[in-house]
């Protein structure tokens, strides 16, 4: 092996290109089982999502024709885009948001016909020859779209019959094995589903209408996740009533709820999207579940009779989208050394099969930086969490007198989480000589409800302080260069970036991807799902307009005194592009180095590989000019005003 070359951090020649990060990446989600067939969704580099089928003969084929894109805009974040049941596929097409019915291998047929309707999270009601689905109605004169649970005949000859209405939101409909009981989740403004939901069960009458209803669990301060009936007709669900998302079941005859294996672990996840699943039934006596502790996931079996939990020894740190059938468990998983993949696990033989990788592993382990969990002190005597990635490249070492620049990553949400997962988007930086801190700031999922709720009323304060204190901690440990600190993030992470640069004097540069600069504008101009989210994160608007102004970077632009690059999709319905435009104009007028990169056709989170590639390279180019290091690669320049 050759002796590593001494070179300035940031200038190292990396084996990873932006094409490796995005052009060769396939997003995997939406696992479903129908008979002997396995289905899932793939987000392709061109931005289109297709349904893929692996049949009983082990042949894998695309089912979605080129002119279709499987993606719903219910809640804008989507999920639950399709249903595979009874040998038929029902899916939402992105262009017109209508449902289509497809016999696998044949051309899809229009299934709904009213413009302005959106659909998600469908299930099959075979007894009544219909599907039951969440519908979001944008055709009314109401200030916001109307959400309901509706039924639509499998013949597609009706416009949908409303089964349940009156609440602001619905999700997770599920039928018992006999098809006589329907369960669902519902919640109302200003709650988000991780704040408080209600689990209801109702009798289905012979004519398919809803009979007597029963509130099983939940409320304004209890979040319920993934109701599901067991093979013997018992209703299971996940609740955070103890402060942790744990498993429960409902005994209908006794009208009581039973905790199954209480522990300080998260069996549930924040419901940003429909169709999420962390458990399934191998039999009436065995449940297979995934759970996380301090950001690391396990897969386990729960004996329903003895309530004993047995953890499987699997090489994964992240597990999601769990489905179970015929002694097989299917899930999406990855580790600190492997990108996510679609995995099959045999419960009898314990054999693991990787059925589809999101990305082929082309990076040698000698270049790979492994996530190191850290816990660091932050405000008010609390601690916060994150994953630290030191720079690593077998061909280079930094100059002896230097420490590496640090890139602090702030995830979106803010009620989401970053995970100890191999991602080329992180290795892109570490192989070039950057250190990376991926922060699970206060409010992140995975550390219990109390950690999430510390963000209540404190958004833009405690989460930002965690990013700042994480950087300070690494500087104090002499792991990074305190004079070359950058922060980056998208959506809520973009807001944290803007706040950190505005209200603290620590970072030397930042990158905001579709970040919030004006909280007041966001409160007035966003979609229904998040239209009252800020009530809990900041305060009621307009009653506490003072808080919105105090925490909006655009209102304190005179305090921001370091270079910034803004990256924005021009069709973003969640954080409209005027948020970034206002920030760019203000900084340009003040004479600060600022760049603004926009993408037509992109929404909240870019889907086209070419646009993601350009954004990543633009960010690297920006830092090279600000931190004054030579790039090892040819990158298309970005226009930086006032440089």
């Amino acid at each position: 092996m050759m002796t590593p070359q001494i070179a300035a951090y940031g200038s190292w020649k990396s084996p990873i290109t932006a094409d490796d990060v995005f052009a060769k990446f396939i997003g995997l989600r939406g696992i479903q089982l129908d008979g002997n067939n396995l289905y899932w969704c793939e987000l392709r580099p061109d931005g289109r999502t297709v349904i893929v089928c692996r049949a009983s003969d082990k042949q894998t084929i695309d089912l979605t024709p080129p002119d279709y894109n499987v993606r719903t805009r219910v809640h804008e974040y989507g999920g639950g885009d399709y249903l595979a049941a009874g040998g038929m596929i029902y899916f939402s097409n992105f262009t017109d948001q209508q449902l289509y019915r497809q016999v696998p291998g044949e051309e899809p047929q229009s299934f709904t016909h009213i413009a302005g309707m959106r659909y998600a999270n469908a299930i099959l009601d075979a007894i009544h020859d219909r599907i039951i689905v969440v519908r979001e109605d944008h055709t009314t004169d109401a200030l916001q779209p109307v959400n309901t649970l509706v039924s639509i005949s499998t013949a597609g000859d009706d416009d949908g019959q409303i089964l349940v209405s009156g609440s602001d939101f619905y999700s997770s409909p599920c039928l018992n094995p006999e098809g006589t009981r329907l369960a669902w989740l519902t919640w109302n403004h200003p709650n988000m589903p991780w704040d408080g939901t209600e689990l209801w069960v109702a009798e289905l009458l012979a004519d398919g209408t809803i009979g007597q209803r029963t509130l099983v669990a939940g409320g304004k301060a209890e979040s319920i996740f993934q109701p599901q009936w067991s093979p013997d007709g018992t209703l299971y669900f996940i609740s955070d009533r103890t402060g942790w998302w744990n498993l429960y079941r409902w005994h209908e005859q006794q009208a009581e709820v039973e905790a199954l294996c209480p522990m300080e672990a998260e069996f549930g996840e924040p419901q940003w999207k429909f169709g999420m699943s962390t458990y399934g039934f191998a039999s009436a006596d065995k449940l297979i579940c995934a759970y996380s502790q301090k950001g690391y996931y396990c897969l386990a079996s729960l004996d329903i009779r003895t309530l004993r939990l047995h953890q499987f020894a699997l090489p994964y740190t992240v597990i999601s989208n769990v489905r179970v059938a015929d002694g097989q468990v299917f899930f999406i998983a990855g580790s600190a050394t492997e990108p996510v993949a679609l995995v099959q696990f045999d419960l009898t033989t314990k054999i693991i099969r990787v059925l589809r990788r999101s990305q082929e592993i082309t990076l040698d382990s000698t270049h790979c930086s492994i996530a190191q969990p850290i816990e660091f002190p932050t405000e008010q005597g609390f601690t916060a969490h994150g994953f630290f990635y030191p720079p690593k490249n077998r061909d280079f070492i930094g100059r002896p007198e230097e420490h590496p620049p640090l890139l602090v990553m702030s995830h979106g949400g803010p009620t989401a989480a970053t995970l100890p997962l191999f991602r080329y988007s992180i290795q892109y930086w570490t192989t070039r000589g950057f250190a990376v801190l991926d922060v699970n700031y206060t409010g992140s999922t995975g550390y219990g409800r109390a950690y999430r709720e510390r963000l209540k009323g404190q958004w833009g304060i405690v989460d930002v302080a965690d990013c700042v204190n994480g950087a300070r901690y690494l500087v104090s440990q002499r792991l990074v260069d305190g004079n070359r600190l950058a922060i980056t993030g998208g959506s809520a992470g973009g807001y944290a970036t803007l706040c950190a640069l505005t209200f603290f004097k620590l970072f030397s540069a930042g990158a905001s991807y579709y970040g919030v600069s004006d909280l007041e504008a966001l409160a007035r101009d966003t979609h229904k799902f998040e239209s009252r989210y800020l009530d809990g994160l900041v305060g009621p608007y307009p009653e506490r307009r003072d808080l919105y102004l105090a925490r909006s970077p655009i209102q304190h632009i005179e305090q921001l005194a370091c270079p910034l690059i803004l990256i924005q999709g021009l069709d973003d319905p969640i954080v409209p592009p005027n948020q970034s435009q206002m920030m760019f104009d203000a900084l340009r007028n003040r004479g600060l180095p600022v760049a603004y990169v926009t993408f037509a056709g992109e929404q909240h989170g870019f889907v086209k590989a070419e646009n993601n590639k350009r954004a990543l390279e633009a960010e690297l180019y920006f830092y090279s000019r600000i931190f004054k290091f030579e790039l090892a690669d040819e990158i298309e320049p970005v226009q930086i005003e006032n440089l």
Side-chain angles (χ1 to χ4, degrees):
M1 182 177 293
M2 295 179 60
T3 302
Q5 178 182 343
I6 298 175
Y9 290 108
S11 69
W12 298 355
K13 178 66 176 177
S14 171
I16 299 175
T17 67
D19 275 330
D20 293 321
V21 180
F22 296 111
K24 301 174 184 177
F25 177 80
I26 295 172
L28 300 171
R29 60 177 176 81
I31 299 173
Q32 293 197 26
L33 302 166
D34 183 31
N36 293 322
N37 292 341
L38 169 69
Y39 300 86
W40 67 91
C41 280
E42 292 188 3
L43 172 60
R44 301 286 170 77
D46 63 359
R48 196 171 66 95
T49 298
V50 303
I51 299 170
V52 181
C53 175
R54 187 173 190 264
S56 56
D57 60 4
K58 312 306 179 190
Q59 296 297 311
T60 299
I61 60 170
D62 287 359
L63 296 182
T64 308
D67 292 337
Y68 296 88
N69 183 2
V70 181
R71 182 178 163 197
T72 180
R73 288 187 60 185
V74 177
H75 294 180
E76 295 299 346
Y77 294 101
D81 318 86
Y82 81 103
L83 168 67
M88 190 75 70
I89 304 292
Y90 305 88
F91 69 89
S92 178
N93 185 43
F94 179 70
T95 305
D96 58 12
Q97 287 299 296
Q98 296 300 309
L99 282 176
Y100 286 76
R101 180 179 54 188
Q102 182 184 15
V103 176
E106 298 183 8
E107 186 71 14
Q109 303 297 318
S110 179
F111 187 63
T112 58
H113 313 281
I114 303 177
M117 298 289 192
R118 302 176 184 179
Y119 305 88
N121 213 174
I123 61 170
L124 178 66
D125 179 2
I127 291 177
H128 297 98
D129 295 321
R130 63 183 183 174
I131 63 169
I132 297 173
V133 63
V134 175
R135 187 175 72 183
E136 190 173 85
D137 183 355
H138 291 252
T139 67
T140 72
D141 294 330
L143 294 177
Q144 293 186 325
V146 177
N147 293 59
T148 53
L149 277 180
V150 303
S151 66
I152 305 174
S153 165
T154 54
D157 55 6
D158 65 11
D159 293 326
Q161 303 297 315
I162 295 176
L163 297 178
V164 185
S165 63
S167 293
D168 291 324
F169 301 100
Y170 296 92
S171 76
S172 311
C174 58
L175 285 166
N176 68 346
E178 295 76 26
T180 59
R181 310 282 281 171
L182 177 69
W184 68 89
L185 296 180
T186 184
W187 66 99
N188 288 298
H189 284 316
N191 267 0
M192 300 299 285
W194 46 86
D195 295 323
T197 54
E198 294 177 346
L199 171 57
W200 287 83
V201 170
E203 187 180 2
L204 274 187
L205 303 179
D207 63 358
T209 58
I210 297 292
Q212 182 178 351
R213 307 180 190 191
T214 301
L215 176 62
V216 172
K220 292 183 179 179
E222 179 184 1
S223 173
I224 308 296
F225 176 86
Q226 194 191 342
Q228 187 169 333
W229 301 88
S230 69
D232 67 1
T234 302
L235 183 61
Y236 286 69
F237 61 94
I238 292 168
S239 165
D240 70 350
R241 60 177 59 187
T242 65
W244 298 87
W245 270 314
N246 281 188
L247 284 161
Y248 294 83
R249 63 185 169 196
W250 178 56
H251 299 281
E252 185 173 3
Q253 290 74 22
Q254 292 83 27
E256 62 181 23
V257 168
E258 177 187 9
L260 301 183
C261 52
M263 55 194 294
E264 291 189 354
E266 300 281 42
F267 289 78
E269 299 174 339
Q271 296 176 73
W272 281 102
K273 296 186 176 183
F274 292 97
M276 303 170 75
S277 174
T278 60
Y279 72 94
F281 293 94
S283 67
D285 297 325
K286 182 182 291 186
L287 179 151
I288 308 299
C289 55
Y291 61 91
S292 70
Q293 291 180 301
K294 292 194 173 181
Y296 287 82
Y297 278 76
C298 302
L299 188 75
S301 67
L302 177 68
D303 187 311
I304 291 173
R305 298 163 300 177
T306 65
L307 300 185
R308 293 185 61 182
L309 189 71
H310 169 73
Q311 181 180 322
F312 298 112
L314 299 180
Y316 300 112
T317 55
V318 175
I319 297 171
S320 65
N321 208 180
V322 176
R323 306 290 181 183
V324 188
D326 299 326
Q328 306 295 316
V329 188
F330 301 91
F331 49 88
I332 307 295
S335 73
T337 57
E338 291 196 21
V340 294
L342 172 60
V343 176
Q344 178 180 359
F345 176 58
D346 190 300
L347 291 171
T348 301
T349 66
K350 305 301 185 289
I351 292 174
I352 299 170
R353 294 183 177 87
V354 175
L355 303 181
R356 183 72 157 133
R357 295 187 187 277
S358 62
Q359 236 168 343
E360 292 303 320
I361 305 170
T362 59
L363 186 68
D364 188 276
S365 61
T366 55
H367 289 294
C368 183
S369 183
I370 306 296
Q372 301 175 10
I374 66 169
E375 194 168 343
F376 53 88
T378 189
E379 305 303 301
Q380 302 176 20
F382 289 116
T383 59
H385 303 269
F387 297 101
F388 176 62
Y389 298 81
K392 187 171 183 183
N393 185 320
R394 71 182 181 196
D395 300 324
F396 294 92
I397 57 174
R399 293 169 177 165
E401 71 278 10
E402 289 184 346
H403 292 300
L406 173 68
L407 185 60
V408 174
M409 291 184 170
S410 177
H411 66 71
T415 309
T418 188
L419 300 168
L421 181 66
F422 178 93
R423 300 202 302 272
Y424 275 98
S425 58
I426 288 180
Q427 305 298 324
Y428 181 86
W429 297 103
T430 56
T431 53
R432 285 170 167 77
F434 276 78
V436 172
L437 173 61
D438 210 0
V439 185
N440 269 328
Y441 49 74
T442 299
S444 301
T445 294
Y447 304 90
R449 185 175 180 115
Y451 192 75
R452 292 201 313 273
E453 293 203 327
R454 272 169 35 195
L455 192 63
K456 289 283 189 181
Q458 298 296 308
W459 192 38
I461 298 177
V462 295
D463 50 328
V464 179
D466 290 349
C467 294
V468 169
N469 287 323
R472 286 173 174 164
Y473 172 78
L474 294 176
V475 171
S476 73
Q477 300 296 304
R478 301 182 61 81
L479 295 171
V480 299
D481 184 349
N483 294 315
R484 292 188 294 170
L485 304 176
I487 181 170
T488 184
S491 189
Y495 173 59
T497 293
L498 297 176
C499 286
L501 300 182
T502 302
F503 302 122
F504 293 87
K505 304 304 178 188
L506 179 72
F507 294 100
S508 303
S512 170
Y513 287 70
Y514 34 88
V516 180
S517 64
D518 186 341
L519 289 180
E520 187 175 30
L522 183 66
R524 293 194 306 253
D525 184 22
T526 193
H527 60 129
K528 178 183 178 181
F529 181 61
E530 293 183 273
S531 63
R532 299 289 302 280
Y533 192 14
L534 299 190
D535 284 26
L537 293 176
V538 181
Y541 181 85
E543 295 87 342
R544 293 308 311 270
R545 182 171 180 263
D546 59 315
L547 296 178
Y548 286 73
L549 298 179
R551 299 185 203 171
S552 293
I554 194 66
Q555 299 292 336
H556 306 275
I557 196 69
E558 74 284 351
Q559 297 182 38
L560 201 161
C562 76
L564 173 67
I565 182 170
L566 298 133
I567 300 170
Q568 178 73 44
L570 294 180
D571 291 350
D572 191 337
I574 296 171
V575 178
N578 65 318
Q579 294 264 331
S580 292
Q581 185 69 54
M582 288 188 298
M583 205 73 189
F584 173 69
D585 292 340
L587 292 176
R588 181 177 56 183
N589 293 338
R590 284 195 56 224
L592 283 171
V594 61
Y596 187 29
V597 180
T598 62
F599 298 103
E602 290 285 9
Q603 299 189 8
H604 198 67
F606 308 151
V607 295
K608 290 186 177 180
E610 61 190 90
N611 294 335
N612 278 304
K613 172 187 173 182
R614 174 59 178 153
L616 182 61
E617 290 184 336
E619 187 178 353
L620 175 61
Y621 178 86
F622 184 78
Y623 295 146
S624 75
R625 298 300 308 276
I626 302 306
F627 292 147
K628 302 187 185 309
F629 59 82
E630 294 295 324
L631 289 170
D633 309 296
E634 289 290 331
I635 290 180
E636 181 184 348
V638 175
Q639 182 176 348
I640 305 174
E641 304 286 344
N642 306 320
L643 185 62

